[in-house]
Amino acid sequence: MSRALIFGLLLALAAALALRCPQLDIRPMHNDEAVNAIKLRTLWEQGSYKYDPQEYHGPTLIYLTFAWMKLIGPVQFAHFDEIQLRLITVIFGVGLILFLPLISDALGRGAIVCAAILIAVSPAMVFYSRYFIHEMLLVAFTFLTIAAGWRYTRNRKPGWAVLAGVSIGLMQATKETFVLSIAAAVAAIFLNKLCNRDPNETANVFSLNRQHLIAAIAAWFITVIVLFTSFFTNARGPLDAVLTYFPWLHRVEGASPHLHPWDYYLSRLIYFHSGRGPVWSEALVLILAIVGIIAAFNPKSRLEGNRKFIRFIALYTIILTAIYSAISYKTPWCLLSFWQGMILLAGVGAMALINLGSQFIWKIPVSCVLLALTVQLAYQAWQVSVPYASNIHNPYIYAQTSDDILNLVERLDKLAPTDAQKNSFVIKVMAPDSEYWPLPWYLRQFKQVGFWPRVPADPYSDAMIVSTAFQANLDQKKTHIMAGLFELRPQTFFELYVETNAWTTYVNGAQRSQ
Amino acid sequence: MNLLADDSNELVPLKPKLPAAAFVGTPKDIPPGSIIEPSVDKSKPPLRIPKDAVNIAPSAQITTSDANAKPDALRKITDGIKEADDANLVLLRKGVQYIQFDFGSPQQIFALVIWHAYDTPKVYHGVVVQLADDAGFTKNVRTIFNNDAANADGRGAGTDHEYFESFEGKTINAKGENARYVRLYTKGSTDGSFNEYTEVEIYGRPMK
């Protein structure tokens, strides 16, 4: 690697860490993050994890976080915090930059540096790097698969084929949507071959030696079997990994609350403005990606990298974007899969623009404009990740937990401030359809917590957290007082009831401390 | 038989195993701007006040604990426009903040109706309403509403319930108390840390 490439990557790495690491706990845990965390708790405390084909995606996030927590975390799950959990996705978000040198000869060194910087500052990439869900892992493993595949085409060493196989296995064990990336990649390979009928090129750039192919498939299967069987403790896991597509297909067909129009992802990325919030836009990436695509398909354009590979990335990205846009089931973090391809193309596009003129009088102003726009993107990334982290006007939040939930948690924490009190303080949580997440995460330090999808026959305890939908009026007997209303998510509210004596003790203590 | 010596007769609290949380998938997202009204108790009859009691809030001088708030902006609190529109809102900074009404002379006050902000379902924390005879709230201070159960405002722990903001506003019974000054406290809402006011109406008449 050249010094310029190393310097560029280090710069991108520094920017990526600067935007991803600060105040990782500023956004309250999302429902999905809490579900993942509590699944980790089962593995941590009971040593068990079992893949569920109905929901919650694959095992890699849980197992990798388990290993990560063994390395850095405290012994008791109750002492885990949001920062420790989210650092795992930060690592994979930054890993996208570290993997880039694997394709430096494919994309071109300049394009690699530009892509690295755009990965570092893309608001979507930054925001979801700080989010304890599966998406960033899927994007990283997908990129590793492509990079390993590329390296294999360069030197035909079986190790790269095996790495590609393992990476596909990790993709599958991360999230069911990996099939979309694989489908887009296969389609792009075939289309690319049609586009590239150049008699001077050696044929079958993407072809595999049969033994290497078998080794890659074996690596894929072994990875899948090891992870989906939960390390050989759940024989049904690999079958469930296939059966999972039936419930997911059912949702894609329309049985889901997450149905959105085709332009849902692109509208969030290109132009988003809601209410009192600012205007958000990552249009820079899209525009540069279009320039990159044009350059890839224009034989006269000057490209530093491998034209076939760049065309493959272009076709892969266009197809994947079309697939994700066409599927009605949409959650905003899914956009990362095709946005990663866009950013690679944007790197190519940026260099194509800079190299459009050969004189410094062209290169310097163009570089300065691109740099200024990139700084603006970095500013948006900070805004979206910290000041607007849980704000409803943020384009990347979705059913986000309200900041107000932290007031509820703080109040409970003060009601039972010591570990001994937390061990005996009984909390009953009641909400229709079990819509009380992420409370199980926030109540992790309390040992006596129960959850009900309705108001039980005996609802009374030291504290009750009750959905307002029940109109429970649990203070009518005067044994408890209603100590406040709290917002879990927009339009989802809970009442806190506290046993009268416990509340009096708390209030008197608070008054004394004032 | 010595019952005290027999461990089997010792009474202990019943502690049944509590049900664990049921895992759920990603919840439905509520897009910005869509409003689902939370249930409101319609059973209470409207408050009854004397026939000659009128809204005296527009004639009062309004001040606030937020030094950044401008007098022109504060006038929006009593301009009679109470639609849930950003343009009608007065925004006060984070933390415990109050607005204060000075009627110039003691008034007999029967009711207050308060609209904080109801652009989206939200609940204001630490809502306290006090009456007093002096601007510093040291003389004859009376609390007519307090849902600050945790005493976050420092005005004492209240026993009134928190409530959802709505287009109907929150009506508070002042029971004909005499006072020259009225203070309204809040400490943010479920929607954010800032304090907001759309409109306040105070129904009263000159003290007889």
Side-chain angles (χ1 to χ4, degrees):
Chain A
M1 282 198 290
S2 70
R3 282 185 182 177
L5 178 60
I6 292 171
F7 176 76
L9 290 176
L10 286 176
L11 184 71
L13 205 60
L17 290 169
L19 288 169
R20 283 158 176 79
C21 291
Q23 301 181 54
L24 264 178
D25 56 349
I26 194 166
R27 183 174 49 77
M29 289 283 270
H30 183 270
N31 178 100
D32 294 6
E33 292 181 288
V35 167
N36 292 331
I38 298 302
K39 285 196 170 287
L40 173 66
R41 177 187 206 159
T42 311
L43 179 62
W44 189 267
E45 293 180 344
Q46 299 164 26
S48 68
Y49 168 84
K50 188 180 172 188
Y51 174 67
D52 183 341
Q54 299 294 324
E55 272 276 8
Y56 320 119
H57 308 310
T60 56
L61 179 68
I62 307 300
Y63 280 124
L64 285 168
T65 313
F66 180 85
W68 169 245
M69 293 312 241
K70 283 283 180 193
L71 197 67
I72 63 127
V75 176
Q76 290 187 340
F77 183 86
H79 296 150
F80 285 17
D81 62 31
E82 292 87 341
I83 295 174
Q84 291 164 332
L85 293 179
R86 287 170 176 162
L87 274 173
I88 194 81
T89 47
V90 167
I91 289 169
F92 279 86
V94 172
L96 283 175
I97 294 169
L98 297 174
F99 292 156
L100 278 173
L102 291 172
I103 59 162
S104 61
D105 52 343
L107 220 58
R109 289 178 192 169
I112 285 291
V113 171
C114 292
I117 291 171
L118 288 173
I119 289 171
V121 305
S122 158
M125 285 289 175
V126 173
F127 186 77
Y128 291 122
S129 291
R130 303 162 55 99
Y131 214 106
F132 184 59
I133 56 173
H134 300 69
E135 220 62 34
M136 197 50 75
L137 276 66
L138 176 65
V139 174
F141 292 139
T142 305
F143 182 75
L144 194 57
T145 303
I146 292 171
W150 167 253
R151 292 258 56 86
Y152 178 78
T153 65
R154 296 292 90 189
N155 58 26
R156 305 284 167 178
K157 287 185 178 172
W160 291 114
V162 170
L163 179 60
V166 170
S167 302
I168 294 176
L170 290 170
M171 286 170 69
Q172 182 172 1
T174 299
K175 200 175 173 192
E176 296 78 4
T177 48
F178 93 103
V179 291
L180 304 179
S181 299
I182 297 294
V186 170
I189 287 170
F190 282 107
L191 279 174
N192 205 23
K193 281 197 170 187
L194 288 176
C195 299
N196 285 299
R197 285 191 171 162
D198 181 352
N200 298 322
E201 283 275 351
T202 44
N204 299 326
V205 169
F206 290 98
S207 69
L208 279 161
N209 169 300
R210 181 176 291 180
Q211 286 179 328
H212 296 171
L213 178 64
I214 291 169
I217 292 173
W220 172 10
F221 278 18
I222 289 168
T223 307
V224 164
I225 287 167
V226 168
L227 290 170
F228 278 102
T229 60
S230 307
F231 293 89
F232 311 108
T233 58
N234 172 28
R236 196 189 149 83
L239 176 63
D240 283 337
V242 177
L243 296 178
T244 184
Y245 289 96
F246 290 103
W248 282 109
L249 281 172
H250 186 55
R251 281 167 212 161
V252 170
E253 286 168 357
S256 166
H258 307 299
L259 304 183
H260 298 289
W262 72 270
D263 62 344
Y264 179 79
Y265 297 123
L266 292 174
S267 63
R268 271 164 169 67
L269 288 162
I270 298 168
Y271 181 86
F272 185 85
H273 184 212
S274 121
R276 281 181 264 178
V279 171
W280 308 97
S281 175
E282 294 195 51
L284 172 68
V285 172
L286 185 70
I287 292 166
L288 288 176
I290 291 169
V291 174
I293 291 168
I294 293 168
F297 285 92
N298 177 6
K300 292 178 183 172
S301 65
R302 284 194 299 165
L303 287 177
E304 194 190 350
N306 182 291
R307 192 177 298 275
K308 275 192 173 180
F309 179 83
I310 296 169
R311 284 182 181 175
F312 161 74
I313 293 292
L315 292 166
Y316 163 78
T317 303
I318 292 168
I319 294 167
L320 195 57
T321 306
I323 291 173
Y324 272 108
S325 298
I327 295 171
S328 298
Y329 180 101
K330 292 181 175 74
T331 44
W333 40 84
C334 290
L335 62 83
L336 289 188
S337 284
F338 66 81
W339 201 239
Q340 164 67 0
M342 290 286 183
I343 290 176
L344 296 177
L345 293 167
V348 175
M351 286 313 294
L353 266 185
I354 292 168
N355 291 330
L356 210 56
S358 55
Q359 304 295 323
F360 281 114
I361 199 163
W362 168 263
K363 289 178 186 290
I364 288 175
V366 169
S367 300
C368 288
V369 168
L370 289 178
L371 185 64
L373 292 171
T374 304
V375 169
Q376 205 280 334
L377 215 53
Y379 174 74
Q380 284 190 61
W382 175 259
Q383 288 288 309
V384 92
S385 302
V386 180
Y388 285 84
S390 54
N391 191 299
I392 198 162
H393 304 305
N394 176 335
Y396 302 121
I397 66 160
Y398 191 83
Q400 172 59 42
T401 307
S402 302
D403 291 332
D404 196 44
I405 205 66
L406 303 179
N407 295 327
L408 170 63
V409 174
E410 184 188 4
R411 193 157 291 183
L412 288 167
D413 195 50
K414 285 179 178 171
L415 277 159
T418 66
D419 282 349
Q421 287 169 310
K422 284 185 171 68
N423 287 342
S424 60
F425 195 80
V426 181
I427 301 174
K428 293 185 177 180
V429 183
M430 306 153 217
D433 302 321
S434 304
E435 289 272 3
Y436 36 65
W437 290 88
L439 284 176
W441 162 258
Y442 283 112
L443 302 178
R444 65 193 180 282
Q445 292 182 339
F446 293 88
K447 299 288 181 242
Q448 307 285 333
V449 186
F451 297 87
W452 280 264
R454 62 190 175 283
V455 179
D458 175 16
Y460 298 98
S461 61
D462 295 326
M464 295 96 80
I465 303 170
V466 188
S467 167
T468 54
F470 289 137
Q471 300 190 28
N473 297 323
L474 295 180
D475 57 345
Q476 284 183 334
K477 291 183 178 177
K478 307 292 182 192
T479 57
H480 290 72
I481 77 142
M482 207 277 265
L485 280 159
F486 298 89
E487 190 181 66
L488 184 78
R489 283 190 295 281
Q491 305 184 7
T492 304
F493 291 86
F494 281 83
E495 295 166 331
L496 171 66
Y497 294 95
V498 181
E499 195 275 322
T500 307
N501 291 333
W503 185 254
T504 306
T505 306
Y506 160 64
V507 171
N508 289 342
Q511 279 172 337
R512 272 197 299 276
S513 67
Q514 284 175 0
Chain B
M1 191 170 69
N2 184 356
L3 279 175
L4 290 174
D6 184 354
D7 283 351
S8 65
N9 288 321
E10 184 184 351
L11 300 177
V12 293
L14 175 66
K15 282 194 175 177
K17 189 176 184 319
L18 302 173
F23 289 101
V24 298
T26 310
K28 184 177 167 60
D29 188 46
I30 307 292
S34 54
I35 292 181
I36 301 169
E37 285 295 337
S39 57
V40 178
D41 183 6
K42 303 279 187 190
S43 60
K44 283 187 180 174
L47 183 67
R48 298 170 72 86
I49 61 172
K51 194 177 175 182
D52 58 346
V54 296
N55 180 14
I56 56 174
S59 60
Q61 184 188 2
I62 309 175
T63 52
T64 173
S65 53
D66 180 356
N68 286 351
K70 294 186 170 64
D72 282 352
L74 292 176
R75 272 193 267 281
K76 287 199 281 186
I77 295 173
T78 55
D79 63 0
I81 302 170
K82 52 188 92 148
E83 277 67 38
D85 189 298
D86 285 357
N88 300 334
L89 271 182
V90 175
L91 200 66
L92 304 182
R93 66 167 69 171
K94 296 177 182 180
V96 179
Q97 300 292 348
Y98 68 79
I99 58 171
Q100 180 168 315
F101 294 82
D102 175 4
F103 302 110
S105 61
Q107 304 287 312
Q108 193 176 15
I109 300 168
F110 296 95
L112 286 87
V113 191
I114 305 167
W115 292 261
H116 287 113
Y118 61 95
D119 52 331
T120 185
K122 66 176 88 173
V123 175
Y124 265 85
H125 296 312
V127 177
V128 177
V129 179
Q130 290 186 323
L131 312 176
D133 291 347
D134 68 321
F137 274 68
T138 57
K139 294 177 186 168
N140 194 20
V141 179
R142 288 142 287 163
T143 301
I144 59 170
F145 185 88
N146 185 347
N147 69 13
D148 181 21
N151 193 21
D153 294 355
R155 322 309 299 176
T159 55
D160 293 302
H161 280 186
E162 290 193 326
Y163 60 90
F164 284 99
E165 294 291 327
S166 85
F167 66 96
E168 293 177 305
K170 174 66 179 176
T171 301
I172 294 166
N173 188 352
K175 299 176 181 171
E177 288 279 344
N178 294 324
R180 175 177 165 178
Y181 298 92
V182 175
R183 255 189 204 180
L184 282 64
Y185 289 87
T186 50
K187 190 189 177 196
S189 72
T190 51
D191 192 42
S193 311
F194 290 99
N195 297 278
E196 297 160 302
Y197 285 90
T198 302
E199 190 76 11
V200 174
E201 292 177 351
I202 301 172
Y203 289 89
R205 63 188 179 194
M207 202 172 87
K208 290 178 179 172

